[in-house]
Coordinates of all heavy atoms in Angstrom, one line a residue:
K7 N -105.1 71.0 -5.8 CA -105.7 71.2 -7.1 C -104.9 70.5 -8.1 O -103.7 70.3 -8.0 CB -105.9 72.6 -7.5 CG -104.6 73.4 -7.6 CD -104.8 74.8 -8.0 CE -103.5 75.6 -8.1 NZ -103.7 77.0 -8.6
S15 N -102.3 70.0 -23.3 CA -102.0 70.4 -24.7 C -100.6 70.9 -24.9 O -100.1 71.0 -26.0 CB -103.0 71.6 -25.1 OG -102.8 72.7 -24.3
L37 N -100.1 59.0 -10.3 CA -100.4 60.2 -9.7 C -99.3 60.8 -9.0 O -98.6 60.2 -8.2 CB -101.6 59.9 -8.8 CG -102.2 61.1 -7.9 CD1 -102.8 62.2 -8.9 CD2 -103.1 60.6 -6.9
L55 N -84.3 80.8 -1.8 CA -85.3 79.8 -2.3 C -86.6 79.9 -1.6 O -86.6 79.8 -0.4 CB -84.7 78.4 -2.4 CG -83.5 78.2 -3.3 CD1 -83.0 76.7 -3.2 CD2 -83.9 78.4 -4.8
M69 N -90.7 69.2 -20.3 CA -89.7 68.2 -20.3 C -89.9 67.2 -21.5 O -91.0 66.6 -21.5 CB -89.8 67.5 -18.9 CG -89.3 68.2 -17.8 SD -89.5 67.3 -16.2 CE -88.4 65.9 -16.5
R75 N -93.2 58.0 -25.4 CA -94.3 57.0 -25.2 C -94.0 56.0 -24.2 O -94.9 55.4 -23.6 CB -94.4 56.4 -26.7 CG -95.6 55.4 -26.8 CD -95.7 54.8 -28.2 NE -95.7 55.9 -29.2 CZ -96.8 56.4 -29.7 NH1 -98.0 56.1 -29.3 NH2 -96.7 57.3 -30.7
V82 N -100.8 65.6 -12.1 CA -100.1 66.2 -11.0 C -101.2 67.0 -10.1 O -101.9 67.7 -10.6 CB -99.0 67.2 -11.4 CG1 -98.3 67.9 -10.3 CG2 -98.0 66.5 -12.3
D114 N -101.6 53.2 -11.4 CA -100.6 52.1 -11.3 C -99.6 52.3 -10.3 O -98.9 51.4 -9.8 CB -100.0 51.8 -12.7 CG -101.0 51.4 -13.7 OD1 -101.5 50.3 -13.6 OD2 -101.3 52.2 -14.6
A170 N -92.5 54.2 -10.1 CA -93.9 54.2 -9.8 C -94.8 53.4 -10.8 O -95.9 52.9 -10.5 CB -94.4 55.6 -9.6
G202 N -76.5 62.5 -3.6 CA -76.9 61.2 -3.1 C -77.2 61.3 -1.6 O -76.5 60.7 -0.8
E233 N -104.0 39.8 4.9 CA -103.9 41.3 4.8 C -105.0 41.8 4.0 O -105.6 41.1 3.1 CB -102.5 41.6 4.1 CG -102.2 43.0 4.2 CD -100.8 43.3 3.7 OE1 -99.9 42.3 3.7 OE2 -100.5 44.5 3.5
E269 N -99.0 61.5 30.5 CA -99.5 61.6 29.2 C -98.6 61.0 28.1 O -99.0 60.6 27.0 CB -99.8 63.1 28.9 CG -100.9 63.7 29.7 CD -101.2 65.1 29.3 OE1 -100.5 65.6 28.3 OE2 -102.1 65.8 29.8
K345 N -93.2 53.9 13.7 CA -93.9 52.6 14.1 C -94.6 52.7 15.4 O -95.7 52.2 15.6 CB -92.8 51.5 14.1 CG -93.3 50.1 14.3 CD -92.2 49.1 14.3 CE -92.8 47.7 14.5 NZ -91.7 46.6 14.3
K359 N -99.4 45.3 24.1 CA -99.5 45.0 22.7 C -98.4 45.6 21.9 O -97.8 45.0 21.0 CB -100.9 45.3 22.2 CG -101.2 44.9 20.7 CD -101.1 43.3 20.6 CE -101.6 42.9 19.2 NZ -101.5 41.4 19.0
R361 N -95.6 46.7 22.9 CA -94.3 46.1 23.3 C -94.1 44.9 22.5 O -92.9 44.5 22.1 CB -94.3 45.9 24.8 CG -93.0 45.2 25.3 CD -93.2 44.9 26.9 NE -93.4 46.1 27.6 CZ -92.3 46.8 28.1 NH1 -91.1 46.4 27.9 NH2 -92.6 47.9 28.9
L368 N -93.1 44.5 10.5 CA -94.4 44.6 10.0 C -94.4 45.0 8.5 O -95.2 44.5 7.6 CB -95.2 45.7 10.7 CG -95.4 45.5 12.2 CD1 -96.1 46.7 12.8 CD2 -96.1 44.2 12.5
P431 N -52.4 10.6 0.6 CA -51.2 9.7 0.9 C -50.0 10.5 1.2 O -49.7 11.6 0.6 CB -51.2 8.9 -0.3 CG -51.8 9.7 -1.4 CD -52.9 10.5 -0.7
L441 N -41.9 0.9 -4.5 CA -40.9 -0.2 -4.4 C -41.6 -1.5 -4.4 O -41.0 -2.4 -5.0 CB -40.3 0.1 -3.0 CG -39.2 -1.0 -2.6 CD1 -38.0 -1.0 -3.6 CD2 -38.7 -0.7 -1.2

Side-chain angles (χ1 to χ4, degrees):
K7 63 179 180 178
S15 60
L37 177 63
L55 292 175
M69 289 175 63
R75 191 179 302 271
V82 180
D114 297 289
E233 194 168 342
E269 293 186 0
K345 183 176 183 177
K359 182 66 174 179
R361 176 187 298 274
L368 304 178
L441 181 59

